[in-house]
Amino acid sequence: MEFTPVKVTERVYWVGAVDWNIRDFHGYSTERGSTYNAYLILGDKIALIDTVKAPFCEELLARIAAVINPEKIDYIISNHAEMDHSGALPKVIAAVKPEKVFASVMGVKALNEHFHLDYEIVPLRDGDTLSLGNLSLKFLETRMLHWPDSMVTYLVEERLLFSQDGFGMHLATGERFADELDPVLLRNQAAKYYANIILPYSQLILKLIERIKTLGIAIDIIAPDHGPIWRSDVGKILSWYQEWAEQKPRQKAVVVYDTMWQSTDLMARAIADGLAGEGIEVKVMRLRATDRSDVMTEVLDAGAIIIGSPTLNNGIFPTVADMLVYLKGLKPKNKFGAAFGSYGWSGEAPGIIFNELKGMGMETIGEPLKVKYVPDGDGLKKCCELAKEISRRLKKGGE
Ligand code: FEO
């Protein structure tokens, strides 16, 4: 089997795998596939940073074999235990027979609980260093970015940060470097990744960026575990992360809803029209036509999220329930919420949504707006009035 490695620097090679066909990454729609990045460091001692998802083990070993005999690897460093990066680890250990395998303290536990290895993994603590002879590695714990075990590895002499999930994106491409790709595509995919994976840990991102500055860690290259490697444009991804982590809302509203007989749909369009008329940027997303993860990408920089549902069996529509559960888990900050929907006789849905938004700690606007059956002129006027109220609140900002 032959697969080609990619030289990142004279002493670092990308040896990961490209998953062109994955379309669902534990509930996140990966319409452009993903990559599982692993890196080979050629010091006096040879180190492998992370592995790949289990089905791609042969691809990883073939890329390594194109650089060196895999049995020459001395150390394997597992920055993150989630199985998209550790799934191949047991097979790689068996094939390589490394001198040592390292992970964070929590990583040692997690790897043992995943794989029940008959192999001792050496724990690394925050701030530890490891010599490769002519090169040196420094480790920083990044708990909850993305799991409790997560850490990043800094290759001092190359000023290269192996950042595991952080600064990554789900994007399968033939190119390995961000500067070879369309910047709009990069920003969209990085934003989607941030909104769906990193968002709840935004405070930790701000602390990590601050810590990197305080420690005086100069970074020329960021090599994440998903998507392209950042080299000439490290500042770009760092500034995007700073922006998203701060969660400053824009004058933008996302209208998310589902509909049974197009009445809630009509309300959604009327609210959106009212917002657009007030100069507010608006996105309208019907849930059976839009994946929840794409909704989150739009929610990331929005100031308002307006959720609509018809009343079904005295409750909310199932797709709306799914969206609310997903939204709650991702803990967005600095947004206003509103609720609307058409109903036939009981009409509980808008009130349920309203309370769910409040339960997330979100400031709500107006009252739950409900219209019986098909909205008439009066119903549509109420949609327009709600839009005006939302618009006023958005323009007022976070006061
Ligand atoms: Fe890419 Fe948290 O794993």
Side-chain angles (χ1 to χ4, degrees), residues 25-26 35-36 80-85 145-147 150 164-165 170 193 197 225-226:
F25 192 94
H26 58 48
T35 68
Y36 314 115
H80 182 19
E82 192 163 9
M83 283 186 284
D84 45 335
H85 312 297
L145 295 172
H146 161 229
W147 275 11
S150 291
Q164 45 96 28
D165 277 347
H170 288 307
Y193 190 90
I197 303 280
D225 273 0
H226 296 290

Side-chain angles (χ1 to χ4, degrees), residues 127-365:
D128 277 358
T129 56
L130 177 69
S131 172
L132 303 180
N134 58 335
L135 298 175
S136 46
L137 301 175
K138 186 175 177 67
F139 304 96
L140 297 181
E141 279 189 356
T142 52
R143 289 188 185 200
M144 296 318 299
L145 295 172
H146 161 229
W147 275 11
D149 62 277
S150 291
M151 66 176 191
V152 296
T153 300
Y154 180 63
L155 173 54
V156 177
E157 291 75 9
E158 304 276 14
R159 295 163 42 134
L160 192 163
L161 185 72
F162 298 102
S163 61
Q164 45 96 28
D165 277 347
F167 310 110
M169 67 187 77
H170 288 307
L171 180 63
T173 51
E175 297 80 5
R176 293 277 66 79
F177 296 97
D179 52 63
E180 300 170 320
L181 293 162
D182 173 10
V184 175
L185 171 69
L186 288 173
R187 181 167 165 105
N188 287 345
Q189 290 299 329
K192 181 168 183 177
Y193 190 90
Y194 190 97
N196 286 277
I197 303 280
I198 309 288
L199 183 62
Y201 313 115
S202 289
Q203 283 306 313
L204 299 178
I205 286 291
L206 293 174
K207 280 185 188 161
L208 177 64
I209 292 173
E210 198 50 47
R211 189 165 180 223
I212 286 171
K213 281 185 199 157
T214 308
L215 292 173
I217 294 175
I219 300 173
D220 290 342
I221 301 172
I222 294 180
D225 273 0
H226 296 290
I229 298 160
W230 300 83
R231 49 182 182 189
S232 55
D233 39 15
V234 163
K236 187 185 287 178
I237 186 73
L238 285 170
S239 69
W240 290 348
Y241 263 55
Q242 180 83 34
E243 173 192 331
W244 296 327
E246 285 173 0
Q247 296 196 65
K248 283 186 188 155
R250 294 176 49 230
Q251 287 185 12
K252 170 182 169 184
V254 184
V255 182
V256 190
Y257 69 102
D258 221 323
T259 191
M260 289 169 68
W261 291 103
Q262 281 63 58
S263 291
T264 304
D265 175 80
L266 182 55
M267 292 177 76
R269 289 187 284 124
I271 293 167
D273 196 63
L275 287 162
E278 294 293 324
I280 301 294
E281 179 184 340
V282 64
K283 302 284 177 197
V284 179
M285 308 179 99
R286 180 167 70 83
L287 284 165
R288 272 176 296 161
T290 313
D291 190 83
R292 63 174 90 85
S293 52
D294 291 315
V295 173
M296 284 311 303
T297 312
E298 294 298 340
V299 165
L300 179 62
D301 63 352
I305 177 161
I306 304 144
I307 303 186
S309 174
T311 295
L312 175 66
N313 300 329
N314 305 108
I316 51 178
F317 207 74
T319 50
V320 178
D322 173 284
M323 187 68 236
L324 284 167
V325 168
Y326 195 64
L327 181 70
K328 185 178 184 181
L330 290 167
K331 303 180 178 67
K333 299 272 183 282
N334 306 331
K335 300 184 195 310
F336 309 112
F340 67 96
S342 155
Y343 71 106
W345 50 98
S346 58
E348 291 91 339
I352 293 171
I353 295 167
F354 205 72
N355 287 335
E356 284 290 329
L357 294 173
K358 277 187 173 173
M360 293 177 207
M362 216 178 270
E363 184 185 328
T364 45
I365 297 177

Side-chain angles (χ1 to χ4, degrees), residues 68-125:
I68 50 146
N69 177 347
E71 291 189 9
K72 291 199 165 172
I73 292 173
D74 298 288
Y75 300 147
I76 299 175
I77 292 145
S78 174
N79 274 336
H80 182 19
E82 192 163 9
M83 283 186 284
D84 45 335
H85 312 297
S86 70
L89 184 63
K91 273 193 180 172
V92 173
I93 292 174
V96 165
K97 301 174 196 69
E99 191 182 319
K100 285 181 182 170
V101 176
F102 298 93
S104 69
V105 174
M106 296 293 280
V108 172
K109 281 188 189 173
L111 290 171
N112 281 324
E113 284 159 3
H114 275 78
F115 302 112
H116 312 288
L117 294 166
D118 183 18
Y119 186 93
E120 192 177 341
I121 300 174
V122 181
L124 290 165
R125 286 175 174 76

